[in-house]
Amino acid sequence: MRLRQILVGTACVAVAVTFARCGGDSAAPPTTPTPVPTPTPVPTPTPKPGIVLPSGMVCDPTPPPLLYVKFGKWRPRGTSGWILDSEPIVKNVDHYCAQVGLGDWRYCQTRPEGDPQRVACDYLMTGTAKDSGRWGPTWSVDGMPCDGKNQCLNHDDNQFKAIAKDSGLFEACVSELVPIYEGEDDEGRRCNEVWIEVP
């Protein structure tokens, strides 16, 4: 009789355990899964716009940052004014000047005269003019645009040139997209100016 009570008691305990495991009456509350937080997306930095060359033009290797715009001037025969000419001068970073055949100097042109990539590389170092939209620097004189209404006008077919009809302080500035050299040894300039005396 005693053995029978033990067996019945054991069976009851087994049944109770089975029900508890199968989700029957249980004193423990059901567990709610913890939501996984959605990661906050990291904003993608907007790339700084650069100068895009016209289709088919190539400048490789790309010139280092601009140091300044160099001026030249000459007078057409039979006229009283000057034609101003400009070219970008770059800092010799990582022996760039030697790589393109201009020697290992402190600075140089973007390419030697006559190099097939010279025009494209000059475009990269000037961008387009604010007033004309042509490739080359934006010209001004005494703080006014070279629009022909004062002593200066843009050249007919070459934005790297301007015509000085009278004396003044002439300035050529490259696009804001052009990288400018920043170093302790030399000071890069986006704009350069020169006083021109017209007799």
Side-chain angles (χ1 to χ4, degrees):
M1 182 73 160
R2 177 125 177 100
L3 181 61
R4 189 176 198 186
Q5 287 175 340
I6 291 171
L7 288 174
V8 169
T10 304
C12 287
V13 170
V15 169
V17 169
T18 301
F19 274 111
R21 285 189 182 159
C22 293
D25 279 345
S26 170
T31 57
T32 306
T34 306
V36 178
T38 306
T40 305
V42 178
T44 305
T46 305
K48 186 177 178 182
I51 294 174
V52 178
L53 290 171
S55 178
M57 296 191 87
V58 177
C59 177
D60 186 28
T62 303
L66 179 79
L67 195 55
Y68 64 94
V69 176
K70 180 181 175 183
F71 288 109
K73 67 177 184 176
W74 52 279
R75 179 177 293 156
R77 178 174 271 174
T79 65
S80 59
W82 291 93
I83 291 187
L84 308 182
D85 204 349
S86 67
E87 62 179 350
I89 301 297
V90 298
K91 182 69 178 175
N92 186 16
V93 177
D94 296 330
H95 307 285
Y96 169 83
C97 298
Q99 290 178 47
V100 297
L102 289 167
D104 214 3
W105 306 98
R106 260 179 50 202
Y107 49 82
C108 61
Q109 301 163 319
T110 63
R111 288 290 195 279
E113 286 286 348
D115 186 289
Q117 293 187 14
R118 170 70 185 260
V119 173
C121 296
D122 281 359
Y123 281 6
L124 279 181
M125 290 293 101
T126 57
T128 56
K130 290 179 181 177
D131 53 359
S132 69
R134 300 187 304 181
W135 290 95
T138 302
W139 290 90
S140 63
V141 58
D142 297 333
M144 297 177 293
C146 283
D147 55 8
K149 296 176 183 175
N150 45 57
Q151 65 264 43
C152 173
L153 69 151
N154 287 318
H155 194 273
D156 288 341
D157 58 8
N158 189 337
Q159 189 64 35
F160 286 86
K161 298 177 181 178
I163 299 169
K165 301 186 296 180
D166 204 348
S167 304
L169 186 64
F170 291 80
E171 184 177 57
C173 295
V174 301
S175 164
E176 296 294 324
L177 299 177
V178 174
I180 304 300
Y181 181 74
E182 296 176 3
E184 296 179 2
D185 55 339
D186 276 311
E187 181 185 349
R189 302 187 300 273
R190 189 170 303 281
C191 298
N192 201 11
E193 58 188 24
V194 62
W195 172 265
I196 298 294
E197 188 71 38
V198 176

